[in-house]
Amino acid sequence: MHAHGRDLIRPTIIAGNWKHNPDRSNGESLLRDVMGGVEERRSRMVGDPDSVEVLIFPPLPWLGWLSASGDTAQDSLPISFGAQCVAEVSMGAFTGEVGAQLVKDFGAQWCLVGHSERRTLFGVDDESCARRVRQALDHKLKPVLCIGETLAQRESGDTRSVVGEQLERGLSLCVEGEQPVIAYEPVWAIGTGVTATVEQVAEVHGFLRDRLCELRGSGAEATPILYGGSVKADNAADLLGLSDVDGALIGGASLEASSFLGILDAGIACRGGREPKLHE
Ligand code: PEP
């Protein structure tokens, strides 16, 4: 395995996936609390506050709401927003779909692709992921390609082959220089309260980094690889302290401002620990 130059070239990304939660009134206060907490931390951060990015993937109506309230003048916000899914097709007669162009028009900068719930509950396969990544990139949205093995696949020793294939197929329509963010989310750790151990996470992230470099060339060193799966404020520091873990994708714990901000604190602290220059 080669030396990884993570510290200076990759931002830390702390991303909340709200899934199909919460209702409107709770969402408004959650957003307000998270926004305030992020703002306050950014003002205290020593060094470049943009070295730690905070993303929220709310249900789609929130993007419209933020846009209508003028709040998606994104440069003025401490957080960027994204869609949890984008269509694999452009605009047209596709009832129920929402595509990358529309999402971008309403102020989103990011989108998730191939979250395990989309794969298992809604039949999104690797080829569909590749088309969604393509749509995102064509419309200047930044995709986060989610990959991960099931428990059965891990137990039969297939983790590397499964995630390696998901990675390769999901990126198959990208051209040179295009580099989606990757989220490694073992299916058995999502929403279960069971977090992968630091050894398991380090092993898979190292493998993914090497595989990315093989597939995409040396530019892959600059690609953030996030971990997701029952990340909480009390386990975040261990996970985010790993050299190939560039952030977290957080489901359950992103629905409570204090938990989410606790994870952000761990991200900021880990970043600081690795980049002493930021503190000079
Ligand atoms: C997720 O939804 O991507 C996720 C990781 O969920 P949780 O943090 O609840 O496991």
Side-chain angles (χ1 to χ4, degrees), residues 15-19 112 115-117 146 183-195 227-232 248-255 263:
N17 171 19
W18 285 6
K19 312 195 188 199
L112 299 180
H115 187 279
S116 83
E117 286 148 21
C146 304
Y184 168 57
E185 300 204 293
V187 178
W188 49 272
I190 297 179
T192 58
V194 180
T195 317
Y227 169 76
S230 298
V231 177
K232 307 270 181 275
L249 181 54
I250 303 137
S254 71
L255 294 173
I263 297 168

Side-chain angles (χ1 to χ4, degrees), residues 12 82 207 236 249:
T12 296
F207 166 73
L249 181 54

Side-chain angles (χ1 to χ4, degrees), residues 55 57 83 86 109-113 129 132-138 140-146 170-171 174 178-183 223-224:
L55 320 180
F57 295 88
V86 289
Q109 295 177 345
W110 293 81
C111 65
L112 299 180
V113 174
C129 286
R132 291 165 201 267
V133 165
R134 189 65 262 150
Q135 281 289 318
L137 293 169
D138 285 346
K140 310 271 178 285
L141 275 184
K142 295 183 246 184
V144 178
L145 175 66
C146 304
L171 299 180
C174 294
E178 291 177 334
Q179 200 49 81
V181 170
I182 306 299
T223 300

Side-chain angles (χ1 to χ4, degrees), residues 132-249:
R132 291 165 201 267
V133 165
R134 189 65 262 150
Q135 281 289 318
L137 293 169
D138 285 346
H139 295 286
K140 310 271 178 285
L141 275 184
K142 295 183 246 184
V144 178
L145 175 66
C146 304
I147 58 178
E149 81 289 359
T150 63
L151 187 57
Q153 288 164 334
R154 171 164 285 273
E155 286 176 346
S156 51
D158 292 332
T159 299
R160 284 181 176 222
S161 63
V162 168
V163 296
E165 194 159 319
Q166 289 173 333
L167 185 72
E168 185 168 359
R169 290 192 174 177
L171 299 180
S172 62
L173 299 180
C174 294
V175 298
E176 205 181 324
E178 291 177 334
Q179 200 49 81
V181 170
I182 306 299
Y184 168 57
E185 300 204 293
V187 178
W188 49 272
I190 297 179
T192 58
V194 180
T195 317
T197 64
V198 286
E199 290 79 14
Q200 289 170 324
V201 175
E203 200 253 328
V204 177
H205 278 238
F207 166 73
L208 290 172
R209 175 78 53 213
D210 289 342
R211 194 74 193 100
L212 265 182
C213 290
E214 282 163 21
L215 290 170
R216 316 282 310 155
S218 57
E221 285 287 359
T223 300
I225 304 178
L226 317 183
Y227 169 76
S230 298
V231 177
K232 307 270 181 275
D234 60 8
N235 59 24
D238 287 343
L239 294 161
L240 294 169
L242 295 169
S243 65
D244 266 310
V245 175
D246 305 305
L249 181 54

